[in-house]
Amino acid sequence: MTLASIAELVAASRPQVFTLLERATEKITTSPHVTHVYVRGSLAAGRADRMSDLDFVAGVADEWFEDFHEALDTFMITEFNAILPGWRDTIVNKMGGIGYVYLVENDGKLYQLDFYLVPASRADDVPTRTTRACLLHTREYVPACDAALRLKVAKYIAQTTERPRTSAELMVELLVLLQMVYKRVRRGQHFSAYGEWVMARETVRDLVRSSLVPTSPNWGWYRLEEELATTPIGRACGRSLHDLLLLQPPTNGTELDNIVERCLHIAEMAAPATVAQLADAIGSYRAYLDLN
Amino acid sequence: MLVQDKRPAGLADQVGRVCALDGAVLARMRHEALTVPDGWVAEYGEFQSGGWWTLSLFSASGDPGDVTITDCEAVPTSLLERMPATRALLDSLGLVYMWVRLARLAPNSFLWEHRDYGELSDREHHRLHIPLQTNRSAGLVLGGAKVHLAVGDLWRLVPTNAHGACNLLGPDRIHLILDCYGNDGFAKLAGHSRLHDGDAVMLPSASEAELDRHVDDAVRLARLGYTDTAERSLLRLFYRYALPEGRVYDLLAAMHTALARPGAAEAWQVKKALMLSTKDDGGRR
């Protein structure tokens, strides 16, 4: 076998995530206002497998940052088959911008695409703020910005990241986290699966609290039983949430299906309009994950 | 999105269920559709977003790659010879086929608002759909409603009315599309169509202010450098709102006018005329 033949085999066996990476990079860099594109995570570290997610960081000219952020969901849904709006990523490294997690369809499967937007004025610092980042694209950028603009963008980022999540955003967060748990279980990464399972249950808690006791001064698990106990719906949600806490992290598809079903049941009790609004997306999500 | 089901008078005459099909037979046909075909053809590029693929089971030539429909005495293709359950079902319906296609609509893919049959003869033509695989985000939009063609029934569509097809989220939507001539068999089988509760969802109306906001969002995307994305975002509004016929093409023209691109604006008005042309002017898929 010649080297050329091995190269062909490698190319033929290449995980689809690299095709998605090429397509996404090509599309994102169509904009003249995108000054940097990095890839992070397992793709940058050379540890990518068929289930790897795609971690992008895009530097956007400061004067266009707000517009780009406002357009991001439409861009991802229209161009990359995102089945849900983005989940505002609360666990990503802080690199001076805002990150979102999308679930995108590619070649009949669901992939996680993390999209972190950073103002171009801070984009050169990205490699120092994350474990590993490969620069895929850079464009000559002469900052037309001044200190006032940088401050304005920083304030915009702070306001966006500190804004309380809506029930729709919490539902998206839940679905993304459960998909992450699913991926970890399939890889046998049970510790990571446990960590994300804890986060998913906290998201269910937050959805219940924000939907049923929106004026509560408390946060986390503190006094949640007492606050929910005042109405039949609250008590039913409380009982179901308690049962959810007793479940072990899923170890296979059937257990994951059971967990998804329980989480959706609680969500439907707490926020029925939100679940109805996302009904088609949830149906497609379950089909892609092969859940009954 | 509004999820009421107040079907307007006449919607069931435009699209509806004709008769139930045997579940076991459909399962076998779905298996064939998912495992047998290869070499899917992308045709009618002007009318779709990309992501709509077809193969012929009955065609003029017998070649499954021959997917541009036209009046003919259709013959089974070499693909149909390898799909015995599908062949048996098609033979059992008592219809005279002009063309039969297997159609795959990928996620986030669309047939834009259009009319069909404009290029065909004056013979009596009819279209039937057999959904083999679908999902709730897939549907036909017509008459201000989104109709989900569920698996389990034979469906009739009158494609000379303005309509569009969407598969917003996926997975793949796979239908058999049967174009046939009028005969006693068709009259007996499909003379009356109906809609069940939940089949049709009336789309909400959009105010001019809402539409202006969408155009502004599209202009922003275009100014960021994503003109194609901006156009698609406006085309998708046809599947979100009950809009007057051709309105979505007007929004595209308005976007390009706002961007000071009169040539592109004019091109979308020309496209509108092509997509919604009457029988005299042509219009096909």
Side-chain angles (χ1 to χ4, degrees), chain B:
Chain B
M1 181 180 291
L2 192 66
V3 286
Q4 288 179 276
D5 180 12
K6 292 182 183 173
R7 288 159 279 175
L11 182 62
D13 294 329
Q14 297 182 53
V15 61
R17 298 174 188 252
V18 161
C19 64
L21 297 173
D22 183 274
V25 169
L26 282 174
R28 186 59 56 181
M29 289 169 65
R30 177 165 55 244
H31 181 85
E32 288 177 348
L34 289 172
T35 57
V36 174
D38 58 17
W40 293 89
V41 178
E43 187 55 60
Y44 299 111
E46 285 278 336
F47 298 88
Q48 59 150 313
S49 62
W52 193 67
W53 307 85
T54 52
L55 281 168
S56 291
L57 301 182
F58 274 87
S59 71
S61 64
D63 177 358
D66 184 7
V67 296
T68 304
I69 69 170
T70 184
D71 282 290
C72 70
E73 301 299 320
V75 298
T77 68
S78 53
L79 175 59
L80 187 61
E81 301 303 324
R82 296 185 284 136
M83 300 174 70
T86 307
R87 176 78 194 255
L89 187 279
L90 290 173
D91 286 346
S92 72
L93 293 178
L95 301 173
V96 174
Y97 295 117
M98 184 194 87
W99 217 278
V100 176
R101 291 169 291 171
L102 199 53
R104 177 164 65 91
L105 187 61
N108 192 26
S109 298
F110 307 84
L111 287 169
W112 308 125
E113 185 189 9
H114 67 281
R115 285 201 177 87
D116 290 306
Y117 287 176
E119 78 286 14
L120 301 179
S121 71
D122 289 333
R123 274 178 87 172
E124 184 185 330
H125 299 90
H126 299 285
R127 177 164 288 176
L128 298 167
H129 278 243
I130 301 179
L132 297 177
Q133 176 174 289
T134 189
N135 65 83
R136 286 294 312 187
S137 78
L140 295 178
V141 171
L142 68 173
K146 184 178 167 203
V147 181
H148 173 66
L149 276 60
V151 174
D153 276 64
L154 181 67
W155 290 75
R156 182 185 174 193
L157 168 69
V158 180
T160 48
N161 297 312
H163 66 283
C166 67
N167 184 4
L168 293 166
L169 303 171
D172 283 351
R173 184 206 85 164
I174 300 177
H175 283 198
L176 280 181
I177 302 177
L178 288 55
D179 289 297
C180 54
Y181 295 111
N183 70 336
D184 289 344
F186 178 85
K188 189 176 167 189
L189 179 70
H192 175 68
S193 60
R194 68 209 178 280
L195 289 169
H196 293 177
D197 286 343
D199 283 345
V201 171
M202 295 311 301
L203 296 174
S205 301
S207 66
E208 284 305 311
E210 279 175 306
L211 293 179
D212 286 344
R213 182 174 57 79
H214 284 297
V215 171
D216 288 344
D217 288 346
V219 167
R220 176 170 57 200
L221 265 171
R223 288 195 171 127
L224 281 166
Y226 303 121
T227 301
D228 289 349
T229 312
E231 289 181 341
R232 280 176 64 115
S233 73
L234 289 178
L235 285 164
R236 287 169 64 111
L237 295 180
F238 177 76
Y239 309 93
R240 182 171 168 181
Y241 297 113
L243 295 174
E245 185 173 309
R247 184 77 176 97
V248 76
Y249 299 113
D250 297 335
L251 296 178
L252 281 145
M255 179 191 88
H256 283 292
T257 299
L259 290 165
R261 299 174 186 172
E266 174 62 23
W268 277 106
Q269 294 294 3
V270 169
K271 177 118 182 193
K272 173 182 172 182
L274 170 69
M275 300 293 278
L276 297 171
S277 56
T278 61
K279 188 178 171 58
D280 290 338
D281 297 327
R284 50 193 283 177
R285 68 247 26 87

Side-chain angles (χ1 to χ4, degrees), chain A residues 7-288:
Chain A
E8 284 166 5
L9 286 175
V10 168
S13 302
R14 189 176 76 156
Q16 273 292 328
V17 69
F18 286 99
T19 305
L20 184 56
L21 172 66
E22 282 173 346
R23 188 161 69 87
T25 305
E26 185 183 337
K27 190 67 197 180
I28 291 165
T29 55
T30 303
S31 170
H33 309 302
V34 170
T35 60
H36 303 69
V37 172
Y38 295 94
V39 67
R40 297 170 58 238
S42 58
L43 262 73
R47 289 185 279 106
D49 64 18
R50 291 182 189 287
M51 288 183 276
S52 287
D53 52 329
L54 200 43
D55 290 296
F56 269 117
V57 179
V60 178
D62 288 48
E63 55 270 36
W64 289 94
F65 183 88
E66 201 171 321
D67 277 351
F68 202 109
H69 176 257
E70 295 292 317
L72 186 58
D73 270 355
T74 302
F75 179 72
M76 292 301 296
I77 288 168
T78 305
E79 280 303 331
F80 291 107
N81 309 358
I83 66 167
L84 293 161
W87 164 50
R88 183 155 36 101
D89 194 344
T90 52
I91 56 177
V92 67
N93 297 48
K94 304 236 179 316
M95 293 176 277
I98 314 173
Y100 290 88
V101 179
Y102 291 91
L103 296 180
V104 303
E105 180 276 340
N106 183 66
D107 197 35
K109 295 185 179 57
L110 216 53
Y111 287 85
Q112 182 180 322
L113 195 158
D114 297 358
F115 202 124
Y116 194 94
L117 281 180
V118 62
S121 56
R122 306 194 66 176
D124 285 335
D125 295 338
V126 164
T128 65
R129 291 170 172 259
T130 185
T131 315
R132 196 183 294 263
C134 286
L135 185 63
L136 295 181
H137 166 83
T138 183
R139 177 178 271 121
E140 180 117 5
Y141 170 61
V142 177
C145 60
D146 55 24
L149 176 59
R150 293 189 193 194
L151 189 62
K152 179 172 177 273
V153 173
K155 194 172 168 186
Y156 174 82
I157 291 170
Q159 284 172 340
T160 303
T161 50
E162 289 162 15
R163 177 177 56 77
R165 292 160 296 171
T166 64
S167 60
E169 287 168 331
L170 285 165
M171 270 302 306
V172 173
E173 178 171 340
L174 174 62
L175 292 169
V176 171
L177 285 168
L178 289 172
Q179 186 269 345
M180 290 167 78
V181 170
Y182 176 66
K183 189 174 61 173
R184 300 290 185 197
V185 164
R186 288 175 69 201
R187 276 199 186 128
Q189 294 171 327
H190 297 294
F191 290 161
S192 295
Y194 176 79
E196 281 149 10
W197 171 226
V198 168
M199 291 176 61
R201 288 183 297 186
E202 289 172 348
T203 303
V204 177
R205 171 203 68 202
D206 292 344
L207 177 63
V208 168
R209 191 191 277 283
S210 67
S211 299
L212 298 183
V213 279
T215 58
S216 166
N218 302 305
W219 61 280
W221 297 103
Y222 186 64
R223 293 189 60 79
L224 185 59
E225 288 100 337
E226 292 89 337
E227 288 177 345
L228 291 176
T230 56
T231 70
I233 290 176
R235 288 192 291 274
C237 277
R239 284 192 296 271
S240 295
L241 189 53
H242 179 258
D243 291 345
L244 197 66
L245 297 184
L246 299 177
L247 290 179
Q248 296 297 312
T251 59
N252 56 49
T254 303
E255 290 174 4
L256 178 72
D257 192 20
N258 177 37
I259 282 169
V260 168
E261 191 62 40
R262 286 172 177 261
C263 289
L264 290 177
H265 174 65
I266 297 171
E268 209 155 9
M269 281 194 286
T274 298
V275 174
Q277 179 193 339
L278 294 173
D280 288 352
I282 292 168
S284 291
Y285 170 91
R286 298 183 78 152
Y288 285 123

